[in-house]
Amino acid sequence: SYELTQPPSVSVSPGQTARITCSGDALPKKYAYWYQQKSGQAPVLVIYEDFKRPSGIPERFSGSSSGTMATLTISGAQVEDEADYYCYSTDSSGNHRVFGGGTKLTVL
Amino acid sequence: EVQLVESGGGLVRAGGSLRLSCAASGFIFSSYSMNWVRQAPGKGLEWVSSIISSSSYIFYADSVKGRFTISRDNAKNSLYLQMNSLRAEDTAVYYCARDLPGGDGDYFDYWGQGTLVTVSS
């Protein structure tokens, strides 16, 4: 079965840049999407189609993808950005919809 | 404003059944594919099932195939998940999520707040 791999945790100080990676064999051919989930809340889409930002998402959130790795970058991370972040994509056939294991971002 | 409100969760014994509902508002429900996504306590997100707007195509994760049935009623703006032969590992918060067509496939753009299903063994 297809898998997306994320680091379990990332920690930065406020104002620093946080980078969360997501690796998957189909990412050269498939878009990556990123969801933010704060404690006790539903996920929120923060990046779609590798780098596009939905309306209402702060500009400090950006995305990129190269080869088998997609990256979510939070430039000037703030305390309120503390959350779990999940990448999402599909396998090359498009039939298997998969989330990465999630990355806990700590900002302190 | 898009709203998705799940209901029907609760405590059930292993082997039992439960039916979840999701009431949609703020968009033309009949025009969108819909999904169920779950999250076990302290764990990550897992896609469970998808149904296209006309109900003509339905997909399931291998972990629930043959036990869960997704359906929808476009006249009632509602999505359902019938869960049978429940197992302890089905314990999770179940989210209703709307699909949006992307450049190379659909993705989830709006999510409900979830409903908790607890399966006791």
Side-chain angles (χ1 to χ4, degrees):
Chain A
S1 61
Y2 185 56
E3 293 185 354
L4 295 172
T5 302
Q6 299 180 234
S9 62
V10 168
S11 183
V12 297
S13 299
Q16 289 188 328
T17 296
R19 293 182 179 86
I20 300 172
T21 59
C22 172
S23 64
D25 290 342
L27 289 179
K29 302 176 185 177
K30 293 294 185 181
Y31 287 125
Y33 302 80
W34 291 93
Y35 294 90
Q36 176 195 67
Q37 187 181 34
K38 295 184 178 180
S39 181
Q41 298 183 20
V44 172
L45 179 71
V46 294
I47 293 290
Y48 67 102
E49 294 180 358
D50 288 347
F51 63 89
K52 298 176 182 177
R53 198 173 49 249
S55 60
I57 300 301
E59 290 185 7
R60 62 180 180 273
F61 288 87
S62 63
S64 62
S65 187
S66 178
T68 60
M69 184 169 290
T71 302
L72 172 69
T73 301
I74 307 172
S75 304
Q78 302 183 7
V79 173
E80 59 260 36
D81 298 332
E82 274 205 352
D84 294 323
Y85 290 85
Y86 294 91
C87 62
Y88 161 79
S89 189
T90 67
D91 67 357
S92 54
S93 72
N95 291 332
H96 293 91
R97 307 182 71 165
V98 177
F99 291 94
T103 299
K104 182 176 182 58
L105 174 66
T106 301
V107 182
L108 54 78
Chain B
E1 178 193 6
V2 172
Q3 285 199 331
L4 299 169
V5 180
E6 303 92 338
S7 61
L11 177 63
V12 61
R13 289 194 174 183
S17 298
L18 211 56
R19 188 193 196 209
L20 306 183
S21 299
C22 171
S25 61
F27 65 102
I28 302 173
F29 181 73
S30 59
S31 296
Y32 290 84
S33 297
M34 296 294 297
N35 305 270
W36 290 99
V37 178
R38 69 183 180 183
Q39 185 171 35
K43 303 296 184 182
L45 300 168
E46 179 189 15
W47 168 78
V48 172
S49 183
S50 299
I51 184 169
I52 72 166
S53 56
S54 65
S55 302
S56 300
Y57 289 94
I58 287 173
F59 305 92
Y60 297 100
D62 289 343
S63 58
V64 306
K65 200 173 295 183
R67 300 187 299 121
F68 289 12
T69 302
I70 191 172
S71 63
R72 63 191 295 162
D73 185 335
N74 288 340
K76 295 183 178 180
N77 291 338
S78 293
L79 176 72
Y80 307 102
L81 186 67
Q82 177 66 43
M83 304 185 295
N84 298 332
S85 303
L86 283 161
R87 306 166 180 168
E89 54 264 36
D90 296 318
T91 293
V93 173
Y94 284 74
Y95 294 100
C96 167
R98 190 180 81 167
D99 253 348
L100 195 65
D104 63 357
D106 294 347
Y107 63 99
F108 317 104
D109 66 339
Y110 283 97
W111 301 62
Q113 285 303 305
T115 186
L116 176 63
V117 172
T118 303
V119 183
S120 66
S121 52

